[in-house]
Structures are given as C-alpha cells and as structure tokens.
Amino acid sequence: MFVKNAMIPKHKCYVVDVNDSVEKTLTVLEHHKIDGVPVLSNEEFKGVATRYNIYQSFFLSGMDKETFLKEKKVSDIITDSDKYMTEKDVFENALIELKDSPILPVVGGNNKFLGLVTRFDVLDQFRSAFGMDQKGVRIAFSSVETEGRIARLGDIIQQHSESVISLVTFDESDKLLRRIVLKVEKKDNMDKFLHKLEKSGFRILDIHEDE
C-alpha cells in the first residue's frame, strides 16, 4: 500500500502559517487535542511544530512565558523541515519515520503540502492487517521456510472453503522458520482445517477465538 491510500488529505488537516505566533500555534494544538501540526508558507511545507519543541524552546529561551508566546513566531521553533514522505512512498516506511514524531507530512513537487500520516493512521492500518475489528478465529502457526509453503497454505484454505479475514507472515530470527498468523471466520469445520494444517507440516502455536 502507498502513502496516498492512507494519508489524511490537506483539506482535513490542521495547519499553521509560518508567520503565526507560538501562542496561536499552541492554541491550535490545545483546541484540537493534537500533538503536532504542519507549518506552511502559502502551500509550501516548512516544518513541524509540536508541543514538545514548543516547551523545549521556551525553557531554553530564558524569556518569560507571556513574551515567548506572543513575540516568538512558529518559524523560530519548527523542526523536521526535511522529514516527510511522498504519495508514492510505501506506507510501511511510516512505521519507522513516526517513531520520534506524532505526525509525518506528505509533500509533492516544490515541497507542496498534500496531507499527513499520523501514528493513529499507522495503528489503524495495523489493526486492519490483523483483522482486529472483525470477529473470527486467530490461528498462529509456523512453517519450515521452503519454496511453495504459502501456496500450499492457500490450497488448504481453498479446499476447506475458509473465509480469510487476515493473513500476516513473519520471519523467525534463524530464517529457517516462518511464523504465520491467519484469521478466518468461525465455521463448523475448524477441527478438520487445523488437522489438515498439521498434517501438511504446519505447526500450530496458538488458537484464539474472539468473544
């Protein structure tokens, strides 16, 4: 999936102008209960203002609170002017980029601001990938890492007419095993399906049925 498929478009984002005061910026953050906001000059992305760097800048400024809020412009405290993604970037890369920031701007040509990816968006996609919002049976199992194993799993799923909610795979640390988490709709043939998996060399690690 690409960033453009999951980002919040510009018209739904809260932004501030590069000439706005720190006080106005903080008001936007407080009013909308958000931790960071893009800073723009017309439509051009200039950086990010967060609660953290506002507070940090205040403590380092030596100014009294009132003077700092009213006289300091947001342009004086913005960070991460070079930290952003494009619409064509792979969405999974946002997992790494958002480690130290609450928001990740998306820009186009000439640094034109197009939208945002937030930590909430990443978590939402994570929930979707694991089918967490749909009830079913979650089966965790492992398989020897050999060619054709995923295809074999697909054959077994098709043979038993299982309705797949989600399928996620992970490499084990030794690279010889692959862990697989499969979530399917609950059906009466579950025991036969699990037996077939084990008979085909898949080792069942855990089974969890949603309440």
Side-chain angles (χ1 to χ4, degrees):
M1 183 172 68
F2 296 103
V3 167
K4 66 180 179 180
N5 302 122
M7 73 178 191
I8 302 171
K10 177 184 175 180
H11 69 276
K12 291 186 178 181
C13 297
Y14 304 114
V15 302
V16 295
D17 185 81
V18 71
N19 292 312
D20 286 339
S21 67
V22 171
E23 182 178 44
K24 180 176 179 180
T25 303
L26 193 58
T27 298
V28 171
L29 296 175
E30 294 285 355
H31 179 74
H32 297 292
K33 294 180 172 56
I34 53 179
D35 293 319
V37 64
V39 181
L40 309 182
S41 176
N42 293 321
E43 295 186 346
E44 183 181 353
F45 170 69
K46 290 296 185 178
V48 170
T50 66
R51 292 174 186 268
Y52 175 80
N53 65 284
I54 288 176
Y55 297 148
Q56 183 185 51
S57 297
F58 168 64
F59 285 120
L60 295 175
S61 70
M63 302 169 67
D64 65 85
K65 179 180 177 181
E66 194 69 21
T67 302
F68 177 81
L69 289 176
K70 293 185 179 300
E71 295 186 4
K72 278 285 187 180
K73 291 185 178 180
V74 68
S75 58
D76 297 323
I77 58 95
I78 56 176
T79 60
D80 296 332
S81 59
D82 59 348
K83 189 174 181 179
Y84 53 79
M85 302 188 79
T86 71
E87 289 184 301
K88 295 182 179 180
D89 284 332
V90 177
F91 182 78
E92 290 88 328
N93 292 338
L95 286 168
I96 299 172
E97 296 295 337
L98 283 167
K99 182 177 68 172
D100 300 316
S101 178
I103 61 173
L104 188 58
V106 181
V107 304
N110 297 320
N111 263 28
K112 182 179 180 181
F113 177 71
L114 301 177
L116 277 179
V117 176
T118 70
R119 287 175 180 168
F120 177 83
D121 299 318
V122 171
L123 290 174
D124 194 47
Q125 293 300 320
F126 181 85
R127 292 179 62 89
S128 176
F130 280 87
M132 296 175 68
D133 296 323
Q134 187 174 343
K135 289 186 176 181
V137 179
R138 178 184 179 276
I139 309 164
F141 50 94
S142 64
S143 170
V144 176
E145 185 68 279
T146 57
E147 185 177 349
R149 294 302 286 163
I150 298 299
R152 177 57 180 150
L153 173 61
D155 290 339
I156 298 172
I157 291 172
Q158 186 176 29
Q159 290 169 13
H160 290 76
S161 301
E162 298 295 339
S163 297
V164 177
I165 297 172
S166 67
L167 174 63
V168 182
T169 73
F170 306 87
D171 287 327
E172 285 284 15
S173 58
D174 62 7
K175 304 300 182 182
L176 297 177
L177 291 176
R178 176 170 292 275
R179 289 175 296 160
I180 303 170
V181 179
L182 171 68
K183 191 169 187 179
V184 297
E185 293 182 3
K186 182 181 178 181
K187 292 185 176 180
D188 294 335
N189 66 342
M190 186 57 60
D191 288 340
K192 291 182 179 179
F193 177 59
L194 294 174
H195 177 72
K196 184 65 175 181
L197 286 176
E198 291 185 313
K199 188 176 179 181
S200 301
F202 295 98
R203 179 169 173 247
I204 306 297
L205 303 174
D206 180 69
I207 302 171
H208 175 78
E209 181 181 338
D210 294 330
E211 297 292 337

